[in-house]
Each structure stands twice: as structure tokens, then as C-alpha cells.
Amino acid sequence: MRIIVCAKQVPDTNEVRIDPVKGTLIRDGVPSILNPDDANALEAALTVKDANPGSTVSVISMGPPQAAYMLRECLAMGADDVYLLSSRAFGGADTCATSTTIAAGIRKLGKFDIIFAGRQAIDGDTAQVGPQIAQRLGIPVVTYVMKVRELKEGSVIVERQLEDGFEVIEVSTPCMLTAVKELNTPRYMTISGIEDAYKKTITVWNENDVALRPESCGLKASPTQVFRSFTPPPKGKGEMLSGSVPEMAAQLVQKLTEKHAL
Ligand SMILES: Cc1cc2nc3c(=O)[nH]c(=O)nc-3n(C[C@H](O)[C@H](O)[C@H](O)COP(=O)(O)OP(=O)(O)OC[C@H]3O[C@@H](n4cnc5c(N)ncnc54)[C@H](O)[C@@H]3O)c2cc1C
């Protein structure tokens, strides 16, 4: 089987700060990591590979040259080969242009059985890129995959997370599956894996390599327009109620009534 993983390098923080003047993300001084859901996606791919000798796992990412560090981490975890889509022409991409570029890279990779992506990236947080790539490649997608139950000839059975349970879906391959953290626990890099990772080559592709015109990628192909970005002001200090449970309940009802919330 050939498995492809979409991996994004993201700032190592949940508290993304926004430049109040430019309205852009402040990335300076924030270390970068492999997006957490993508680590689950890679682990799922490596698990399939372990169970199916002869399988290969390729990781693809779009990002600046420094995303190569994250791709080395993927190699050290056990990926066979990695591809970085990097070019000035890709800069300023919204999710639409991001998925166009990644889909073009995947087309260049050739035949595959399963693409694993993360459900969402912790910086952009849209959860759009996986399904958009599937749409561009014309393959089915299952989002929120929390378990891969069974691989069959020409299909895969997965559990899809719902708020109050899960649903079981059989999807034909090739397909896109987007991973949630409940899917697995990502493995650590091994010492020999780290050594091997530095012996391997990271293939870097620009727009010409994936047969995209400059106007089909990056800012020029991004219909999203951001009018304003801002950090919501912190909420006021909370108030602790005291007394017995019935007393606190009475106080709470009184306060909510005063605020016309009840
Ligand atoms: C107008 C505009 C301009 C922007 N300019 C920039 C910019 O200059 N630089 C910048 O970094 N961001 C920029 N962004 C943000 C960028 O659009 C998103 O970071 C990107 O499209 C991914 O969306 P997301 O983070 O919501 O990913 P999600 O959709 O939440 O990600 C889901 C999954 O898709 C896969 N995935 C997502 N992105 C990638 C990737 N790059 N490579 C591989 N797999 C991926 C991963 O598996 C991930 O878990 C811009 C956004 C807008 C709207």
C-alpha cells in the first residue's frame, strides 16, 4: 500500500498572538512543531505500514524552507520519503490555494491508497484543508477518524467521532481520512531513525515542479479576504460563591436573575 500523510509545521502554542497593527500572526520567538493532529495522522499511516509489509509512507507539506526540520522528524518517526512544497509563489495562501498546491503535489506523487491528514491545524484551525484536497483529487473523505478498524481490498472501515459516540463507515480507496487525537498515541523518534533521517533527502518542489501556474497558487489564488484580526479582550475576573450547595445555588439564581439571564 502507498500511504500519504499531509503534515503542517505550526507554532508551538495554543495562544496565537496577533500583531494589533498588521493583523497578522506573530510567529517570531515561537518554536515550531509538527501539528499535533498530523502526528496522529503519521502514526496511523505507520501503523498501517507496520501491519502491511511492503507498504510505504510519504509525507508532504507546504511551507517555508524551515518546515524541513519538521519533515526530518517525520522521517525519524519512520516515514520513507518526504516532500516540501516551497516557493515564494505559495506565500499568502488561504486554505483554497493551500489545498490546490498540496493536491498538485500529491498528483505528482502518483498512485496511492490512503491519504491521512490531521483534522485541523492548531494555528489556522479551519479543518478545511483535508476535505478540500479530497475534493480536488475527486476522492471520498472521512473526517474525525478515531479508529481504523479494518483494511480490505479496495476499502477501509473506520470509526468517525461524533459528539456523543461514533459512526462506522466503510469507504472505498483511494480516500482521505482526517485524524483526531483519539486515533492513537504518536510514537517517539528512535535514535537510529534520527540518524537515518539526516541521511535522507528532502525533495523540494516549486510551482513548476507540480505543474501550477504562479497565478494558481499563493495569495493570487486566495479568494479569502481578511478584513480584521484581533485578540478578544480577556474576560473579567470570575467570582467564587461560598456556602452550602443550596446557598450557592440560591446566590447563583439571584445573580442570573439580576442580569436578566433567567
Ligand atoms: C488571506 C490569507 C493569507 C494567508 N497567508 C498565509 C501565509 O502567508 N503564511 C501562512 O503560513 N499562512 C497563511 N495563511 C493561513 C493559511 O491559509 C492556513 O494556514 C492554511 O491554509 C492551512 O489552513 P489551516 O491552518 O486552517 O489548516 P486546517 O485546514 O485546519 O488543516 C487540516 C489539515 O490539513 C493539512 N494541512 C494544512 N495545511 C497544510 C500544509 N501547509 N502542508 C501540509 N498539510 C497541511 C494538515 O494535515 C492539517 O492537519 C493565510 C490565510 C489567509 C486567509
Side-chain angles (χ1 to χ4, degrees):
M1 296 188 84
R2 180 165 204 200
I3 306 145
I4 296 173
V5 177
C6 299
K8 183 183 183 190
Q9 191 184 43
V10 295
D12 184 11
T13 176
N14 285 324
E15 294 168 31
V16 175
R17 288 173 302 137
I18 295 172
D19 184 316
V21 181
K22 294 187 205 152
T24 52
L25 296 186
I26 300 172
R27 294 173 192 268
D28 290 350
V30 183
S32 296
I33 55 165
L34 168 63
N35 180 52
D37 282 354
D38 303 355
N40 297 105
L42 177 56
E43 176 59 39
L46 295 172
T47 305
V48 172
K49 178 185 161 180
D50 293 345
N52 296 274
S55 300
T56 57
V57 174
S58 306
V59 180
I60 190 161
S61 185
M62 186 189 94
Q66 56 267 34
Y69 292 106
M70 177 273 295
L71 287 172
R72 293 235 182 259
E73 192 181 327
C74 296
L75 286 170
M77 283 172 72
D80 296 283
D81 42 25
V82 295
Y83 301 84
L84 177 60
L85 295 153
S86 198
S87 161
R88 276 187 172 274
F90 300 151
D94 66 1
T95 61
C96 185
T98 300
S99 57
T100 300
T101 302
I102 297 172
I106 292 173
R107 271 191 214 102
K108 181 162 169 123
L109 286 176
K111 276 192 148 191
F112 60 88
D113 298 286
I114 301 175
I115 305 173
F116 282 102
R119 177 196 51 165
Q120 74 190 73
I122 56 170
D123 56 349
D125 245 5
T126 65
Q128 293 173 356
V129 173
Q132 285 180 355
I133 292 171
Q135 193 266 337
R136 298 197 189 296
L137 295 173
I139 57 171
V141 56
V142 182
T143 53
Y144 289 77
V145 171
M146 58 181 277
K147 187 170 182 181
V148 177
R149 274 201 184 180
E150 192 184 343
L151 289 166
K152 296 167 74 175
E153 189 66 42
S155 70
V156 51
I157 301 176
V158 298
E159 290 179 14
R160 178 173 190 269
Q161 191 178 58
L162 302 174
E163 262 183 35
D164 53 355
F166 62 87
E167 55 190 3
V168 179
I169 297 178
E170 180 166 0
V171 57
S172 56
T173 52
C175 63
M176 158 74 77
L177 305 175
T178 78
V180 291
K181 67 174 188 302
E182 289 77 8
L183 180 58
N184 52 41
T185 304
R187 65 192 66 188
Y188 288 109
M189 296 177 276
T190 60
I191 300 287
S192 61
I194 295 170
E195 280 175 15
D196 290 347
Y198 279 90
K199 290 180 200 149
K200 289 191 177 171
T201 308
I202 293 176
T203 305
V204 182
W205 285 335
N206 64 21
E207 63 279 17
N208 298 322
D209 297 317
V210 294
L212 284 176
R213 294 188 314 262
E215 59 273 25
S216 307
C217 37
L219 190 59
K220 289 181 184 156
S222 295
T224 315
Q225 299 210 354
V226 180
F227 290 103
R228 192 164 79 100
S229 301
F230 63 97
T231 310
K235 288 185 182 157
K237 223 178 160 194
E239 185 185 343
M240 296 298 286
L241 302 176
S242 56
S244 66
V245 173
E247 283 167 355
M248 288 191 290
Q251 290 172 46
L252 183 61
V253 169
Q254 188 188 342
K255 285 178 188 296
L256 291 174
T257 307
E258 281 166 11
K259 290 184 186 294
H260 305 288
L262 287 180

